[in-house]
């Protein structure tokens, strides 16, 4: 059975939670009321010269809040810059991917979000299969690289924004001089009790790691058998990257399986740590998707936001806030120096729609048989 330490959320994680100021139905009503108010102002203005034109101007510039659910640490900076440029107010709900996806499902009959920005195309593919996303949209700004074009889904139901790696290995060479070169080695006796990872039910990027390993091993069945062996070998499961990496720093584990950008940032702060990419690490696109049932005004604003992310200005804000947020997929944008060449890594891609449809059942199985088994 995997050992799951009882660790409360960190103050930073608690501070990141922001509940929208309005319930979903109230938010929808506010959009209608805003239009009615603008219309009333327009009628009042008609008695003066140019009143009709002024009313039309007010209606055109009417902005409703764009509610963004995001697990991206550079979202607050990007949101602030976007509001400054466009005047569109942004309401941010910032939490782990698993928590946000659970919230979206709980609100399915009354959605309260307008735009979702996370790491993990599989999760957005699953939402698309449930008929929850806007389809047929692609930003006009910027030009995608060849890799970026490969990541665009056929129905244009989500927008790729960058690429990271699910399942990099962070370790201390003084503690573990010979790290494994393949994830399949982790069940060997010499690694007993030394491996830590995130819970895929909480950490969306970790689900992509789990799915990628199952893909590599030949499917769900062989993958489940592997994780049962890994649990029997003393796997320790934590909540998120920060908690898992802290356990590594404290010596409770000898190696941490985390998203690569989190590992690189942590290793920069603690130079005694190193980051390696065992075979086969899985590509993890960060993506934006839009609520297909949001009011038209909010959908339009969500499109504006995605366009802004694709502009040089948007890309610059992302890089300034988090230089290691991922490999860029926009032409003319260079990756951070500490990011190795993506082509040099043993990286695989997985079928997002196939593994997205399996996410709920696999994370439930993982909770029952690995975390609590």
């Amino acid at each position: 059975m995997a050992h799951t330490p009882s660790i409360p959320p960190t103050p930073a994680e608690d501070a990141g939670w922001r509940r929208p100021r309005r319930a979903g139905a109230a938010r929808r009503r506010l959009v209608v009321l805003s239009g009615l108010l603008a219309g009333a102002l327009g009628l009042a203005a008609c008695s003066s010269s140019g009143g009709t034109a002024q009313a039309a101007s007010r209606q055109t510039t009417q902005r409703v809040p764009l509610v963004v659910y995001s697990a991206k640490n550079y979202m607050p900076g990007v949101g602030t810059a976007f509001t400054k440029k466009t005047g569109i107010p942004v309401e941010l709900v910032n939490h782990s991917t698993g928590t946000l996806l659970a919230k979206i499902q709980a609100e399915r009959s009354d959605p309260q979000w307008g735009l979702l920005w996370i790491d993990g195309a599989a999760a957005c593919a699953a939402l698309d299969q449930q008929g929850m996303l806007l389809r047929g949209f692609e930003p006009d700004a910027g030009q995608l690289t060849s890799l970026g074009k490969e990541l665009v889904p056929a129905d244009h139901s989500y927008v790729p924004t960058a690429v990271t790696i699910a399942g990099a290995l962070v370790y201390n060479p003084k503690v573990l001089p010979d790290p494994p070169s393949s994830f399949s080695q982790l069940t060997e006796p010499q690694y007993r009790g030394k491996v830590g990872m995130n819970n895929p039910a909480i950490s969306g990027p970790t689900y992509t790691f789990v799915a990628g390993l199952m893909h590599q091993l030949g499917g769900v069945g062989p993958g489940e058998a592997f994780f049962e062996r890994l649990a029997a070998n003393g796997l320790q499961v934590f909540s998120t990257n920060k908690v898992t990496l802290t356990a590594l720093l404290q010596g409770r584990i000898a190696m941490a399986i985390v998203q690569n950008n989190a590992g690189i940032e942590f290793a920069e702060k603690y130079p005694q740590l190193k980051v390696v990419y065992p075979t086969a690490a899985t590509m993890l696109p960060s993506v934006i998707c839009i609520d297909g049932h949001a009011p038209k005004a909010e959908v339009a604003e969500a499109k504006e936001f995605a366009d802004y992310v694709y502009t040089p200005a948007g890309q610059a804000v992302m890089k300034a806030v988090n230089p290691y947020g991922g490999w860029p997929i926009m032409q003319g944008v260079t990756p951070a120096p500490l990011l190795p060449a993506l082509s040099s890594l043993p990286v695989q891609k997985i079928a997002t729609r196939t593994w997205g449809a399996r996410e709920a059942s696999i994370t439930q199985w993982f909770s029952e048989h690995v975390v609590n088994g």
Side-chain angles (χ1 to χ4, degrees):
M1 179 179 80
H3 172 60
T4 308
S6 178
I7 299 177
T10 66
E13 289 169 334
D14 279 340
W17 177 261
R18 296 290 185 271
R19 187 178 298 276
R21 292 194 292 271
R22 295 181 298 278
R27 178 158 62 91
R28 287 1 179 201
R29 288 196 295 272
L30 184 61
V31 174
V32 175
L33 290 173
S34 296
L36 292 175
L37 179 59
L41 290 170
L43 289 175
C46 284
S47 59
S48 61
S49 175
T52 301
Q54 292 173 4
S57 176
R58 277 194 293 269
Q59 287 178 322
T60 300
T61 59
Q62 178 67 39
R63 295 299 200 180
V64 301
L66 172 62
V67 180
V68 177
Y69 285 14
S70 178
K72 304 296 295 178
N73 63 359
Y74 44 60
M75 174 57 217
V78 176
T80 298
F82 172 71
T83 298
K84 184 177 181 180
K85 178 176 176 58
T86 65
I88 297 172
V90 173
E91 292 184 0
L92 174 61
V93 176
N94 184 15
H95 216 280
S96 67
T97 299
T99 299
L100 294 175
L101 294 174
K103 186 170 173 61
I104 286 173
Q105 291 295 341
E107 298 167 354
R108 186 167 180 175
S109 62
D110 184 21
Q112 298 186 37
W113 61 286
L115 181 145
L116 175 68
W117 195 4
I118 58 173
D119 290 320
C124 283
L127 294 177
D128 180 40
Q129 289 171 318
Q130 297 171 51
M132 299 173 72
L133 302 186
L134 177 76
R135 295 177 176 174
F137 167 69
E138 189 171 7
D140 294 327
Q143 294 293 324
L144 289 169
T145 63
S146 57
L147 173 60
K149 292 176 182 178
E150 291 176 14
L151 299 175
V152 176
D155 64 355
H156 298 277
S157 56
Y158 56 82
V159 175
T161 59
V163 167
T164 59
I165 300 297
L169 195 64
V170 186
Y171 72 105
N172 185 337
K174 292 184 177 179
V175 177
L176 189 72
D178 187 25
S181 59
S182 171
F183 289 114
S184 61
Q185 296 174 251
L186 296 178
T187 58
E188 295 175 0
Q190 67 265 35
Y191 300 128
R192 182 172 182 81
K194 296 182 178 181
V195 182
M197 64 177 285
N198 305 342
N199 187 338
I202 300 172
S203 168
T206 302
Y207 170 71
T208 296
F209 161 70
V210 171
L213 195 49
M214 288 183 168
H215 169 78
Q216 180 186 347
L217 294 171
V220 174
E224 289 178 347
F226 170 82
F227 280 105
E228 286 179 334
R229 293 194 301 272
L230 187 57
N233 204 39
L235 172 68
Q236 298 188 51
V237 182
F238 303 90
S239 56
T240 58
N241 288 327
K242 183 175 181 179
V243 182
T244 304
L245 289 167
T246 299
L248 172 66
L249 196 64
Q250 294 171 345
R252 286 182 280 162
I253 54 177
M255 64 186 100
I257 303 169
V258 295
Q259 190 175 359
N260 79 301
N261 57 331
I264 290 172
E265 188 174 5
F266 206 74
E268 185 182 30
K269 186 175 182 180
Y270 301 100
Q272 69 270 34
L273 302 178
K274 303 296 180 185
V275 181
V276 293
Y277 299 84
T279 305
T282 302
M283 186 174 292
L284 178 67
S286 57
V287 294
I288 285 173
C289 51
I290 299 172
D291 176 12
H293 303 285
K296 289 183 179 180
E298 191 169 12
V299 168
E301 292 177 350
K303 291 179 178 180
E304 281 191 64
F305 182 89
D307 275 326
Y308 176 74
V309 168
Y310 269 31
T311 65
Q315 293 287 305
V317 174
M318 290 165 59
K319 192 172 182 179
V321 175
N322 184 1
Y324 310 115
W327 285 273
I329 58 171
M330 304 302 299
Q331 293 183 21
V333 183
T334 57
L338 285 184
L339 287 172
L342 189 59
S343 59
S344 69
L345 303 179
V347 179
Q348 65 174 354
K349 297 177 185 176
I350 59 174
T352 55
R353 294 184 71 83
T354 298
W355 290 100
R358 296 171 175 170
E359 183 166 0
S361 61
I362 289 176
T363 53
Q364 181 178 351
W365 176 90
F366 194 95
S367 296
E368 294 174 352
H369 293 83
V370 179
V371 178
N372 301 315

